[in-house]
Amino acid sequence: MRSHRTEPDPDGLSVWATAQRTGPVQRRGRYVAESVKHPARMLPAIAAHAVHAYTQPGDLVLDPMCGIGTTLVEAVHAGRDAIGVEYESRWSDIADANITHAHSQGATGRASVIRGDATRIRSLLPAALTGQVTLVVTSPPYGPTVHGLVRPGADGVTKYDNAYNDGTDRGNLAYRDLTGLTDGFEQILTGCGTLLRPGGTVVVTARPWRKNGQLVDLPSAVIAAGTRAGLIPTERCVALLAAVRDGHLVARPSFFQLQAVRKARTAGIPLHLITHEDVLIFRRPATSVSSGELTGAPGETRGQRGSSGRAVAKDPGEGG
């Protein structure tokens, strides 16, 4: 097994500067054009930052809800191997295309996508992968519909590509309420825990949203789900969705985010634009092969690689 650093990076930061370039610029030429159709794409720079902070070349990275394959693409460009699970065939096909595209650009890592329900991930992946994964990077869904894309028309602005599927298959985790979503996510994290090597890392991005004006605290629900799954929460970081310019944040809101904030402020509600996602870091306990007992305290697990807050040393969109 490769050796991994066990001490935190003294120059590390808990804020990841992952939006110095916009999402479309980060994906341009690196992903196939159909990728924009997914309603909740992870910024490539977030996945790239996690891959570089927590793995070494040749390590195995897993995304159990991989969508169009952002985690996988950034992993193979960085010389890591990757495997993804995706429930919707529409997105798994695009993920396959993105992996092929990455290899055409010289990516050296290997990757594959399995279509299936990640709540049963142990039955989907070969038993030989048990204990072989170094890093899990993923994000839970944000309800059955999200902002998607917009087009202007005679009757105003119309949404499109704003749902995970056409609504005929309710098996997608996105169609559950918060309790059902977190229960399903706990099952996914439990399965991922068996695939992780001792001391392996799980990185989950999440952010709260509003439903009928009330805040839905998804990050806290994810922390609780991870803990119930037997993982150790170790850090809570911030991945910026806004650029940093001259010491100030430059927000990059969607049309609907901007519209919602303007309406709220007109009504006297002091809402602000979303400028970050929470990055929730867990580790699988490091265990003795012979005794099964913990061999280190949380945050000092065998195989830990650096701090999740490592500063981005180059343009964060240039993963790999």
Side-chain angles (χ1 to χ4, degrees):
M1 180 181 293
R2 295 176 179 82
S3 62
H4 291 252
R5 294 198 304 178
T6 57
E7 69 279 7
D9 180 353
D11 298 320
L13 298 174
S14 61
V15 177
W16 301 4
T18 45
Q20 293 298 91
R21 300 188 299 167
T22 65
V25 171
Q26 290 185 30
R27 298 185 190 95
R28 186 176 301 153
R30 196 172 179 88
Y31 292 78
V32 299
E34 292 79 10
S35 298
V36 300
K37 296 180 181 296
H38 193 282
R41 303 173 301 280
M42 181 183 289
L43 276 180
I46 294 178
H49 186 105
V51 166
H52 282 280
Y54 295 107
T55 66
Q56 294 181 350
D59 283 342
L60 180 60
V61 179
L62 167 67
D63 188 341
M65 306 179 76
C66 73
I68 60 167
T70 301
T71 297
L72 314 186
V73 168
E74 298 309 317
V76 299
H77 272 296
R80 281 69 165 170
D81 296 331
I83 189 165
V85 176
E86 174 52 40
Y87 186 83
E88 304 288 347
S89 59
R90 179 187 185 189
W91 310 129
S92 65
D93 289 345
I94 295 176
D96 282 332
N98 277 325
I99 292 168
T100 299
H101 184 61
H103 287 148
S104 74
Q105 295 182 319
T108 58
R110 299 168 297 175
S112 62
V113 181
I114 295 174
R115 187 186 184 284
D117 184 350
T119 62
R120 298 192 291 270
I121 194 168
R122 293 182 64 184
S123 65
L124 294 176
L125 300 186
L129 291 181
T130 300
Q132 300 303 305
V133 173
T134 299
L135 172 67
V136 174
V137 181
T138 198
S139 180
Y142 297 96
T145 62
V146 289
H147 290 149
L149 303 175
V150 297
R151 65 164 63 93
D155 299 322
V157 173
T158 304
K159 286 186 181 183
Y160 67 102
D161 287 333
N162 62 322
Y164 291 93
N165 61 34
D166 60 9
T168 59
D169 182 355
R170 295 300 174 120
N172 192 309
L173 219 58
Y175 289 92
R176 301 186 185 183
D177 60 15
L178 182 62
T179 300
L181 170 60
T182 53
D183 286 347
F185 201 61
E186 177 187 341
Q187 291 178 277
I188 292 172
L189 293 178
T190 299
C192 289
T194 66
L195 297 167
L196 279 169
R197 61 175 177 79
T201 303
V202 177
V203 173
V204 181
T205 64
R207 63 189 182 204
W209 76 87
R210 291 189 180 274
K211 183 175 182 180
N212 300 323
Q214 300 299 310
L215 192 68
V216 179
D217 188 2
L218 182 60
S220 293
V222 168
I223 292 173
T227 302
R228 293 194 303 268
L231 301 172
I232 300 172
T234 57
E235 298 173 80
R236 186 167 183 168
C237 300
V238 165
L240 291 181
L241 304 175
V244 180
R245 298 282 188 269
D246 299 322
H248 298 279
L249 292 178
V250 179
R252 304 189 189 280
S254 71
F255 170 86
F256 291 104
Q257 288 171 344
L258 193 59
Q259 185 183 53
V261 168
R262 285 172 173 168
K263 286 182 177 179
R265 289 188 174 183
T266 299
I269 303 172
L271 291 189
H272 296 273
L273 293 171
I274 297 171
T275 57
H276 78 278
E277 287 190 320
D278 285 39
V279 186
L280 312 171
I281 315 294
F282 304 87
R283 296 198 187 279
R284 178 188 168 184
T287 57
S288 168
V289 174
S290 58
S291 67
E293 296 177 350
L294 291 180
T295 60
E300 297 179 338
T301 52
R302 183 159 43 89
Q304 178 176 344
R305 175 176 165 79
S307 166
S308 73
R310 181 172 307 181
V312 179
K314 58 180 179 178
D315 188 332
E318 295 292 344

